[in-house]
DNA sequence: AATGAATGAGAATTCATTCAT
DNA sequence: TATGAATGAATTCTCATTCAT
């Protein structure tokens, strides 16, 4: 599948609406309106609403993995530096693609759309495999402890970032940060979160603490 | 609102279906069928599908807070012990009310149903307030460090537990634990998760570690 | 399935429209309008347009076979008399349920709707079996010849009646019978057709001619 | 209208699909796909889907009549021989152009597409006229009886052949002829049918028998 | 209090046709 | 002449809700 301009328009409109109002809560008509295309184009291009969601997943997934791979292959850095880079990478990913990650989080909550579930499963497996290599490398070099439960560790990474990003309006309110602009707030959260997670990961992974 | 037997039947049927297939993905007819009641009963009792969801939230929220309060008021325990109890409390809550927490997680991802959003907001505020008291108490007693970002810490607690519980089928597969029964697996996860989070919280909160 | 008044209304409206404009050529909306019911009632009652067609087939088939059975069991008549009665029975059936038989003829022309094809197959098998008994009986009694190809004979019976009834407007024109009222014409055709087929069947079945 | 290669491709694809799934049940897109031409070509060449059906009728009708005329003009044969030739002609026509005859049978069942109805009417009139000449000729020569109802007779000819050919899968099953190849079965039917109809027509037309 | 029947609004999708090139 | 893209209308079906009883 190649991504013509129209297709991308549609996928991006769908992404925003699915994030806001959920897949089932979004009429195809609204996607068409938002994308500024004819209603029938969506079936014409993607076949169905569900296939559109699949296309969106493939579209977004394509780029993600590559970035991560190149990052982890960098030989000039220690394993801990790479882990720290990984943390920042995840924070950026969630902050810059909030819509997509909301959709993905929601899809992980049920098994309704099997094609999507399979895509996510594959996606997660590949990610986890890369992280595993990184941890093993650190362990070989003696930087990291033995016996690290990677899925548990990833749950903390992804869970913390995801939860904070998706409930950031609440965080804003509770910490009286309503005066900050969206960008300022984003930077604020990024900094806090980065420091917090790097601290936790150092505790999880290294002998010192 | 009192909870007649029929009402509870309906809410529990709705809870399961909303968890599996989302609010918008669940027809009222299916709820009626699952609950074994007449379709019209649901509008009749709750007014609308959305009001039913609100009722469910109130029903589930009522109990949660009380347990937590009594737990945190126990004077015979150190602050760290209370934090550890809090961790186990959250794990239990998510594991035993997976359906409800899936719904709540999903609702936090969007702002569709405002009434619900407000309920969740209040709910989280009260919880956070209780936790704040606990942390302050620990800080006063010198058990805990200063400058603890409570929302960040809670994001790690809730995020990690939530992510792991809602994607546990993935965890099962990645760790080759398919042979375990559901109950065995639950216990397995609970133990791992409890240890992991207690370790992290010790690092976050205390001077040692 | 019981046949409530509304259901029968819908089935009869559908029958006329399907006969006139074919199944695929008839919008459900038109059926609803003709039956004087709400559009959604059709899905509500029958599940789908196709299920409605199935229901119609079952509704019409139920009665047909019974009549035929009782007719063929009559012991007071010779086999040839029964064959003659059978001929008149078929003529009546096609003349009085023209709509239904148009639909059935059309469905036999393709294998689109499998459920229907199966129903027709069963229907024809039962009919043919009854006719076979009748012929065998006549052969035993020495009234009829040996070596009668029953499907071929039935093709002539059904084919002739069906073709004439479904193209009767053409017959009317070609024979300059436009002045006859519908009822007069019906009687005219019935008489001609009956005589014609009885003559043919006598030739097919008996030794004399 | 001349028949370019592309046009014939399209008409033949349409013929097969209309036979299988009916006019209304066949999307223009499917015809284009089957014919291996661009979707827009069909409107471009024929104007509309309905005009395509008309074109197909004209295309098929052109040849039929001519053959029949030449056959009936043969002076070297008795009238009964010509009638027998006519019977075989019809059997061949239905067997070799099953698709087209299915479509025509279906179109005769309703009055939806008026242009087509008129074409069929004309077609049948010309055919009947030719047959009438043949019968009159036989009557003049004293070969045939007086008072022959030609439309009735034609109904038996066309009805029997048409019914048997369009329901031959049923005939196959009922007579346990599933082992025969399509070609063997075709020959088998042709022989049986030919003999059957010639016998019937002899009875209808001649004094003996 | 409880329910079977009914309904209007809106859902996704398909369709034949047209248009710009 | 030929076509890929586009579209408006219409299709079937589902939905939450209401009404008469």
């Amino acid at each position: 599948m190649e991504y013509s301009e129209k297709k991308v328009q549609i996928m991006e409109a769908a992404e925003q609406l699915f994030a806001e109002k959920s897949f089932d809560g979004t009429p195809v008509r609204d996607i068409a309106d938002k994308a500024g295309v004819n209603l029938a184009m969506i079936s014409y291009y993607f076949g169905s609403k569900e296939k559109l969601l699949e296309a969106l997943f493939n579209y977004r997934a394509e780029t993600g993995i590559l970035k991560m791979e190149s990052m982890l292959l960098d030989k000039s850095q220690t394993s801990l530096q790479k882990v720290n880079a990984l943390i920042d990478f995840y924070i950026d990913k969630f902050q810059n693609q909030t819509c997509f990650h909301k959709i993905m989080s929601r899809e992980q909550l049920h098994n309704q759309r099997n094609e999507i579930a399979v895509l996510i499963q594959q996606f997660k497996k590949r990610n986890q495999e890369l992280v595993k290599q990184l941890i093993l490398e650190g362990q070989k070099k003696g930087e990291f402890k033995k016996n690290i439960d990677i899925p548990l560790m990833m749950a903390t990474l992804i869970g913390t970032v995801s939860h904070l990003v998706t409930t950031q309006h609440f965080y804003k309110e509770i910490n009286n940060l309503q005066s900050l602009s969206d960008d300022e707030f984003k930077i604020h959260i990024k900094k806090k979160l980065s420091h917090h997670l790097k601290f936790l990961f150092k505790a999880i992974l290294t002998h010192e603490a």
Side-chain angles (χ1 to χ4, degrees), chain A residues 93-107:
Chain A
K93 225 169 57 124
F94 275 82
Q95 280 198 329
N96 295 329
Q97 299 197 338
T98 314
C99 284
F100 180 65
H101 279 96
K102 278 187 182 182
I103 298 169
M104 199 157 94
S105 297
R106 219 186 270 114
E107 288 300 318

Side-chain angles (χ1 to χ4, degrees), chain A residues 154-207:
Chain A
M154 292 302 285
T156 290
L157 173 54
I158 296 171
T160 303
V161 178
S162 168
H163 189 261
L164 199 68
V165 169
T166 58
T167 63
Q168 50 183 258
H169 53 284
F170 177 67
Y171 183 93
K172 214 170 183 172
E173 199 187 314
I174 220 104
N175 287 23
N176 284 315
L177 298 169
Q178 289 96 333
S179 61
L180 266 58
S181 76
D182 276 2
D183 275 346
E184 287 169 337
F185 179 63
K186 201 171 155 183
I187 292 166
H188 171 86
I189 280 212
K190 183 175 160 52
K191 198 176 145 192
K192 284 268 193 184
L193 199 44
S194 176
H195 178 264
H196 174 69
L197 285 166
K198 284 172 187 169
F199 170 77
L200 289 183
F201 270 65
K202 198 173 169 193
I204 292 171
L205 294 169
T206 67
H207 303 281

Side-chain angles (χ1 to χ4, degrees), chain A residues 3-67:
Chain A
Y3 303 111
S4 73
E5 206 185 338
K6 275 267 164 78
K7 272 191 181 173
V8 172
Q9 269 173 54
I10 294 169
M11 285 192 293
E12 289 180 348
E15 187 176 40
Q16 285 180 45
L17 290 168
F18 289 165
E20 273 173 51
K21 328 202 302 170
S22 91
F23 179 83
D24 288 305
T26 304
V28 181
R29 184 175 298 275
D30 289 4
I31 301 171
D33 287 351
K34 188 171 189 111
V37 302
N38 182 283
L39 171 62
M41 285 265 47
I42 288 170
S43 298
Y44 178 70
Y45 266 141
F46 297 95
S48 70
K49 190 185 174 187
E50 194 156 337
K51 292 261 182 66
L52 163 59
L53 181 60
E54 280 175 49
L56 173 60
F57 263 87
N58 285 311
Y59 177 62
R60 286 293 180 220
E62 264 180 23
T63 48
I65 288 286
L66 294 175
K67 278 194 201 162

Side-chain angles (χ1 to χ4, degrees), chain A residues 118-144:
Chain A
V118 168
L119 281 176
I120 294 178
Q121 192 81 336
Q122 292 171 349
F123 192 62
K124 290 182 75 111
K125 231 173 200 161
R126 284 198 295 173
N127 274 7
Q128 195 117 250
E129 197 51 45
L130 287 172
V131 173
K132 195 177 175 183
Q133 294 310 318
L134 170 56
I135 302 305
L136 285 175
E137 179 196 301
Q139 288 174 324
K140 263 190 206 153
K141 292 199 280 181
E143 280 187 59
F144 295 163

